[in-house]
Amino acid sequence: MIVMKFGGTSVEDAASIERVTEIIKARVALRPCIVVSAMGKTTSRLLQAAQASAAGDARTTLGIVADLKARHASEARQLIKSNWSAFDFIEQYFAELKKLLEGLAILGEVPPRGLDKILAYGELLSSAIVSDALDERGIASQLVDARKLLITDDRFGGASPLFDIANAKIVATLAPLIAENRVPVLQGFIGATREGATTTLGFEGSDYTAAIIGAAMDADDIQIWKDVSGLMTTDPRLYKAARTVKACSFAEAAALTYFGAKVLHPKAIYPAARKNIPVHIYNSKLPQATGTAISATAPLCKNAIKSIAFLRPVTILKATIETISEEEQIFLPEDSLKTIINTMIKRRVTPLLTAVSGLNTAFVMDAKALDETTERDLLNDIAKFTSASVERDRAIITLVGAGLAQNARISGRVFNALEAVEVNAVLHGSSPIMMNVVIAAQDVEAVIARLHEAFFADFDREVFE
Ligand code: ASP
Ligand code: MG
């Protein structure tokens, strides 16, 4: 069997869902299990509705709910003529949603538990519509409630599966359906605690659902259908001549997604890699395109790197350890280093990059994960035994490829491309397959263009398209 996951843009309207049904129809013989995201933008609209309601803005809340309902009903009407269960679901779900949002207005806040319940409606709605659309086109589907299978802990907003329980339930529910040649359709992103409270796996979590299901079912393939033709040599919005990377390894994909490539949810790689199940990235708007195959081994490639990712804004925290405190207390550098790291753990800040050289330390952190108070508190704590400072509006550029490990001439080419750019740090060696460069956020476009020209002017047609 295979798992096919369709992202928000792949199911954003009737025409897109129509295309999705054709893509599935062409692959019924592979015995697919379908995982869907909410229709494009629905999750963020639901979040806005929840926030508006808690803030007492009933007008905005009701406006969003009315828009969402009209949109889902009208797209469904274009797709589904004879089978009506999706329309019942739409009525039922919007009635429930309204009640929950009213509850938030009374509470005056958005508790994580309540938010998960609200956000889940995006996927509940899209999956009901896709399932009916398949049935109407002669593909026998079965709508499955992911909350009955994907049992998680109770970290609302970012729950983790309880694999022992979840895997058994996934197999017990899906295997018989697939054996009967039915196409299960279930929601990505959502799950439930053992007690049945709805949870979510974190934003963009549908890829993770697909990987969890694929691993539990020992799938032959996990297909992620999106609106781009796979993993690219760099973000095509920044650099138009970016190419598709036809094949890469799990390790390369993990490095790229960790450092900002939007190809796949970082968590989705591990379940697939553990079971050695290939992950394919395809474009639902261009189903005939080759896409990207991610598997255990990197293909031999004439290009040293496969792709260039970027992440911005990031903040650099620099701290030079002082061995004597203001109170004339003597510090050992190793104790200070330990204290810096413990302080970060206590403040729940995970640095993306760490460099320690003698008494000088630098930590690069995702600015979006670092709010103002946390940054100030962190700096205050650390400044007690270091001279600490922060530099904002930086970016990390990451070059990834198994070829980095073998090719000694890479650094020279990278530094050449960085000429005339102010560079904050270059890190290579902690991972043999990647190199990170920290620069000013506004230099990203120029540096990516120069690196792309340096590394992909000539490219291996076996691996790139
Ligand atoms: N609908 C969810 C989101 O927008 C999950 C997903 O699309 O993967 O974050
Ligand atoms: Mg999405």
Side-chain angles (χ1 to χ4, degrees), residues 425-457:
V426 176
L427 281 106
H428 181 38
S430 48
S431 157
I433 63 161
M434 74 171 132
M435 185 167 187
N436 310 100
V437 182
V438 185
I439 56 171
Q442 82 255 20
D443 290 335
V444 167
E445 279 79 358
V447 167
I448 285 193
R450 297 200 58 182
L451 286 170
H452 203 284
E453 279 150 25
F455 286 97
F456 296 108

Side-chain angles (χ1 to χ4, degrees), residues 160-345:
S160 299
L162 302 173
F163 283 103
D164 289 351
I165 310 174
N167 286 346
K169 286 190 189 276
I170 290 167
V171 174
T173 309
L174 300 182
L177 291 173
I178 286 165
E180 283 169 28
N181 286 321
R182 287 181 89 76
V183 177
V185 177
L186 49 116
Q187 310 76 33
F189 176 57
I190 69 171
T193 63
R194 273 170 290 191
E195 294 73 34
T198 301
T199 53
T200 63
L201 305 177
F203 290 109
E204 304 296 322
S206 294
D207 292 349
Y208 191 25
T209 304
I212 294 165
I213 299 213
M217 295 293 292
D218 269 318
D220 300 308
D221 194 12
I222 297 167
Q223 303 184 348
I224 308 288
W225 290 82
K226 349 177 4 123
D227 61 349
V228 287
S229 297
L231 167 68
M232 310 290 286
T233 47
T234 194
D235 189 333
R237 282 167 302 181
L238 254 66
Y239 189 76
K240 290 218 164 42
R243 304 183 176 281
T244 297
V245 182
K246 290 192 281 184
C248 76
S249 68
F250 288 125
E252 288 170 331
L256 285 164
T257 59
Y258 191 86
F259 286 102
K262 297 274 179 315
V263 62
L264 187 66
H265 193 288
K267 281 186 185 167
I269 294 166
Y270 302 103
R274 193 164 33 80
K275 284 280 187 94
N276 201 6
I277 300 169
V279 176
H280 281 91
I281 317 283
Y282 292 124
N283 188 347
S284 72
K285 316 255 157 166
L286 211 66
Q288 66 284 4
T290 318
T292 301
I294 308 172
S295 59
T297 46
L300 285 176
C301 177
K302 294 198 193 86
N303 293 63
I305 63 166
K306 296 258 169 57
S307 180
I308 308 165
F310 76 96
L311 195 72
R312 72 176 164 191
V314 299
T315 300
I316 311 177
L317 171 75
K318 282 193 175 156
T320 302
I321 295 167
E322 287 161 356
T323 42
I324 270 191
S325 78
E326 282 159 18
E327 296 89 40
E328 310 237 332
Q329 193 188 339
I330 309 270
F331 289 128
L332 289 174
E334 51 269 43
D335 290 337
S336 302
L337 196 54
K338 200 164 76 189
T339 314
I340 296 178
I341 289 171
N342 285 340
T343 309
M344 290 201 178
I345 295 170

Side-chain angles (χ1 to χ4, degrees), residues 300-451:
L300 285 176
C301 177
K302 294 198 193 86
N303 293 63
I305 63 166
K306 296 258 169 57
S307 180
I308 308 165
F310 76 96
L311 195 72
R312 72 176 164 191
V314 299
T315 300
I316 311 177
L317 171 75
K318 282 193 175 156
T320 302
I321 295 167
E322 287 161 356
T323 42
I324 270 191
S325 78
E326 282 159 18
E327 296 89 40
E328 310 237 332
Q329 193 188 339
I330 309 270
F331 289 128
L332 289 174
E334 51 269 43
D335 290 337
S336 302
L337 196 54
K338 200 164 76 189
T339 314
I340 296 178
I341 289 171
N342 285 340
T343 309
M344 290 201 178
I345 295 170
K346 197 180 82 200
R347 303 252 172 235
R348 291 181 171 277
V349 179
T350 316
L352 295 161
L353 299 173
T354 305
V356 179
S357 136
L359 298 178
N360 303 298
T361 65
F363 300 91
V364 184
M365 293 161 298
D366 188 344
K368 284 186 240 70
L370 190 69
D371 60 64
E372 246 174 74
T373 21
T374 311
E375 186 189 296
R376 200 193 46 225
D377 292 347
L378 189 63
L379 202 60
N380 280 343
D381 285 353
I382 290 171
K384 284 175 196 146
F385 51 90
T386 69
S387 59
S389 64
V390 292
E391 286 170 28
R392 296 189 191 81
D393 291 321
R394 307 282 118 185
I396 304 174
I397 304 259
T398 303
L399 294 90
V400 174
L404 271 174
Q406 282 107 42
N407 197 326
R409 289 182 43 247
I410 305 271
S411 321
R413 287 161 77 190
V414 172
F415 283 110
N416 251 341
L418 289 170
E419 222 176 49
V421 176
E422 188 203 330
V423 177
N424 295 98
V426 176
L427 281 106
H428 181 38
S430 48
S431 157
I433 63 161
M434 74 171 132
M435 185 167 187
N436 310 100
V437 182
V438 185
I439 56 171
Q442 82 255 20
D443 290 335
V444 167
E445 279 79 358
V447 167
I448 285 193
R450 297 200 58 182
L451 286 170

